[in-house]
Amino acid sequence: MVTPSDVFAHHAFFFGPGEIDAIRSQAPPTLRSTTSRFDLVGAFMWRCRTAALGFDPDDAVRLHIFVNARVRNRSRRTVPKGYYGNAFAFAAASAPAGELCRRPLGYALQLLVEAKARASQEGYVQSVASFNAAHRRPPFPKARTCLISDVTRAGLLAVDFGWGRLLYGGPATIMLTTFHQEGRNEAGEAGILVPIRLPTLAMERLKQQVRKELSADVAIKTADKIDSNLVTGSNLAKL
């Protein structure tokens, strides 16, 4: 649980081919070969994060996923010419915290996949827009919520504004949100970098939970140490 007196910590988890294979091996056969890396890591970290935060078993925990409305909800009404703004909605999954942590990874993964499938259906985004208009856009539910997005294809590693490529983009500052980014470990291995911000004690539990879930044979790899103000070391210099 989170209290106003909590001190927060930042950490970046790295998922290379070995970690992805370890997670994929836990998926049910029906999803093992078809599920994306984003879905695997998203479901995996949702379970681990929920366990680390120590919610009551009956508490409903939510996973929200950014969904590209332009791609997944093609409508007969095209986007107006010259419009370059964002067009997205949230796919949402929910489960009791105790059940999410007690049941195998396949349960969380199925919830995530089904949530994305619902958001891909024609009319989903239109329904969300109508609901927000009718209710004057109600506040986003922050309690027991985890919000994830995939920016691994955004090309951030190649960004150069004239003074060199990206070294560091800043620590995670919002507890409920994380982004899956491109990353490399110290050996130059490509993978997914997941920066997370949690209360310090919960972060230590999260690290232990991730190691436990990946098993003793596949130790979690992380980016170099991230504290609340600075990133040091050679690993992120390659980003």
Side-chain angles (χ1 to χ4, degrees):
M1 303 297 289
V2 181
T3 67
S5 62
D6 282 333
V7 176
F8 286 80
H10 303 269
H11 198 79
F13 293 87
F14 179 81
F15 294 87
E19 289 78 21
I20 298 296
D21 288 345
I23 298 172
R24 193 178 295 278
S25 69
Q26 300 177 39
T30 54
L31 296 174
R32 192 168 297 161
S33 61
T34 58
T35 306
S36 69
R37 297 186 309 164
F38 172 77
D39 292 350
L40 288 167
V41 174
F44 178 84
M45 291 303 291
W46 183 31
R47 285 182 75 243
C48 291
R49 179 182 182 276
T50 299
L53 285 169
F55 297 118
D56 290 336
D58 293 333
D59 283 343
V61 292
R62 290 173 290 271
L63 178 68
H64 287 216
I65 308 112
F66 280 107
V67 174
N68 186 336
R70 295 183 180 182
V71 174
R72 297 181 180 274
N73 295 273
R74 298 191 182 279
S75 173
R76 295 172 183 172
R77 295 184 179 181
T78 59
V79 176
K81 184 177 180 180
Y83 177 78
Y84 298 99
N86 292 328
F88 65 87
F90 294 120
S94 178
E99 188 169 6
L100 183 69
C101 297
R102 176 179 57 82
R103 298 182 64 172
L105 174 68
Y107 175 69
L109 185 58
Q110 187 67 46
L111 291 175
L112 187 156
V113 170
E114 290 175 353
K116 289 177 63 177
R118 288 193 298 270
S120 298
Q121 296 175 356
E122 178 64 30
Y124 180 88
V125 171
Q126 292 86 342
S127 175
V128 171
S130 297
F131 177 85
N132 282 332
H135 295 82
R136 298 184 179 181
R137 195 173 184 177
F140 184 85
K142 296 180 180 179
R144 302 182 299 279
T145 295
C146 179
L147 175 61
I148 60 175
S149 182
D150 184 7
V151 295
T152 57
R153 299 184 182 181
L156 297 179
L157 297 187
V159 172
D160 186 346
F161 292 106
W163 53 84
R165 290 194 175 186
L166 176 70
L167 292 178
Y168 178 54
T173 57
I174 301 176
M175 178 180 153
L176 64 89
T177 305
T178 187
F179 296 85
H180 294 193
Q181 307 171 7
E182 293 178 278
R184 292 186 182 274
N185 61 11
E186 292 182 344
E189 185 180 48
I192 298 174
L193 195 67
V194 183
I196 292 182
R197 179 177 185 257
L198 289 180
T200 300
L201 294 179
M203 181 63 77
E204 292 305 313
R205 292 194 295 267
L206 177 59
K207 294 176 186 178
Q208 296 173 9
Q209 187 70 24
V210 168
R211 294 190 186 99
K212 174 184 174 182
E213 295 292 336
L214 287 175
S215 82
D217 294 330
V218 185
I220 185 65
K221 300 173 184 177
T222 66
D224 284 313
K225 182 180 178 182
I226 298 181
D227 62 25
S228 61
N229 298 309
L230 181 66
V231 173
T232 61
S234 60
N235 189 37
L236 288 182
K238 299 174 184 176
L239 298 183

